[in-house]
Amino acid sequence: SPTLTSNRVCGNTVANCTFGTTYQFEPPTLTSNRVCNTVTNCTLGTNYLFEPPTLTSDRVCNAVANCALGTNYQSEPPTLTSNRVCGNTVTNCSLGINYQSEPSMLTSDRVCGNAVMICTLGTTYELELPTLTSDRVCVPVKNCRVGHVIILAPTLTSNRVCSAGAAEKTFHHQESSGSEIVGIVVGVPMVVLFGVALFVIGRRLGAKDKARVEEAEMQLLSARTESAESQETVRRILAAWEILSDDITLLKRLAEGTFGTVWRGLWGNQTVAIKVLKRAANDEGCAKEFRKECETLQAIKH
């Protein structure tokens, strides 16, 4: 500053801010320099440029919009200079017509590519209703045995009801008094819905029947390592484990895996576990694995 004996000294040049890099935070005065601050940078995917910087103002970044999962999904991704666009409404599947095969994501639509299965009157009936995310479950209609009478005809939502013969009624009465549980493994092709490969894996038997089955098991184990003639014995013994698909009623789906579904059902009047294979009956690898599983289960004492 000047004095009575000296002049004012203006030796300092005012600083200049760099456009796009710094901006003026405080203007210069006669006694102070200009103050420049660093321009803010937006973060891709988090915020975007709302107002560009000038020599006297900072860059303004706004928060990127988030799409509402299940309601809309991203049609244009955010950039450093533009917001995310959630302009696409998620497709809704039509109940009873199609169901979801792929769920909607924040960046993709819901896929309703699966048409709902239609049961065939007199052949199959609806066991489980379709939902927006699962198919209708159709199971085969029961066929009445020779000598039995149809009490109720099948509908699209109910099974055929057959009368029971006198001998069968007596058998069921004797069996039910034991309160035993039967486990059943059922092999079923995907296309033909329910096949005929039904195997009993456990059942509490009377003394004579139990002895007969144990004897068959021993013959089965020894014959497996012997000649071709013994293999025919194996085939006959395995056939003794097979039961008719008409004797099985599916009640409730319990669990589902990659290769099959486990159901709670009835064999006659006995509560059973039923395994239904998804793969086709002509899949030899699948059939072989299924037979091995059945043989293993047959060897287990329940």
Side-chain angles (χ1 to χ4, degrees):
S1 59
T3 67
L4 291 172
T5 58
S6 64
N7 198 4
R8 176 183 289 113
V9 177
C10 300
N12 292 331
T13 303
V14 171
N16 289 317
C17 300
T18 304
F19 182 71
T21 304
T22 58
Y23 68 97
Q24 177 180 287
F25 183 67
E26 291 183 9
T29 68
L30 289 173
T31 56
S32 63
N33 198 2
R34 175 183 286 113
V35 178
C36 297
N37 274 7
T38 303
V39 168
T40 299
N41 289 318
C42 301
T43 303
L44 182 64
T46 303
N47 46 40
Y48 67 98
L49 175 66
F50 182 68
E51 290 183 10
T54 67
L55 286 173
T56 58
S57 63
D58 194 11
R59 176 183 286 116
V60 179
C61 299
N62 273 7
V64 167
N66 290 318
C67 301
L69 184 62
T71 303
N72 50 34
Y73 64 97
Q74 174 181 291
S75 55
E76 292 182 20
T79 68
L80 287 174
T81 58
S82 63
N83 197 3
R84 174 183 285 115
V85 179
C86 301
N88 293 330
T89 302
V90 169
T91 299
N92 289 319
C93 302
S94 300
L95 184 62
I97 297 175
N98 52 31
Y99 64 97
Q100 174 181 291
S101 56
E102 292 182 20
S104 63
M105 308 294 286
L106 289 174
T107 57
S108 62
D109 195 10
R110 174 183 289 116
V111 179
C112 301
N114 294 330
V116 169
M117 179 185 296
I118 298 174
C119 302
T120 304
L121 183 61
T123 304
T124 58
Y125 69 96
E126 178 181 86
L127 186 65
E128 289 187 13
L129 289 168
T131 69
L132 290 174
T133 57
S134 64
D135 198 5
R136 173 183 286 114
V137 177
C138 297
V139 295
V141 167
K142 178 180 181 179
N143 291 319
C144 297
R145 294 183 178 182
V146 176
H148 291 193
V149 177
I150 299 175
I151 298 175
L152 292 176
T155 69
L156 288 174
T157 57
S158 63
N159 199 0
R160 176 181 287 118
V161 179
C162 305
S163 67
E168 185 178 349
K169 289 179 181 177
T170 302
F171 171 77
H172 283 173
H173 176 72
Q174 293 172 348
E175 290 293 302
S176 60
S177 62
S179 300
E180 62 259 25
I181 297 297
V182 182
I184 296 179
V185 179
V186 185
V188 180
M190 181 185 296
V191 179
V192 187
L193 292 181
F194 294 92
V196 195
L198 304 172
F199 291 84
V200 180
I201 63 169
R203 177 182 166 200
R204 206 170 87 191
L205 301 169
K208 292 183 178 179
D209 287 342
K210 186 174 182 179
R212 179 180 60 80
V213 172
E214 287 179 349
E215 182 183 355
E217 288 175 346
M218 294 299 296
Q219 293 178 25
L220 179 61
L221 290 172
S222 62
R224 282 181 181 139
T225 58
E226 297 176 6
S227 64
E229 287 185 6
S230 295
Q231 294 306 312
E232 176 61 22
T233 302
V234 172
R235 188 194 64 76
R236 291 197 301 269
I237 295 172
L238 285 175
W241 291 89
E242 295 182 2
I243 62 176
L244 296 174
S245 60
D246 293 343
D247 294 338
I248 300 299
T249 301
L250 301 179
L251 297 178
K252 181 180 180 181
R253 182 162 50 187
L254 301 178
E256 185 169 0
T258 304
F259 301 106
T261 306
V262 178
W263 294 75
R264 180 172 66 86
L266 292 175
W267 175 42
N269 67 336
Q270 306 300 309
T271 301
V272 296
I274 303 170
K275 183 174 182 180
V276 180
L277 300 185
K278 294 181 178 179
R279 295 162 68 180
N282 58 3
D283 188 332
E284 182 55 35
C286 178
K288 184 177 180 181
E289 288 298 317
F290 176 65
R291 286 194 294 270
K292 287 175 60 179
E293 181 180 357
C294 292
E295 291 176 12
T296 301
L297 292 171
Q298 289 167 5
I300 297 173
K301 300 296 183 182
H302 296 272

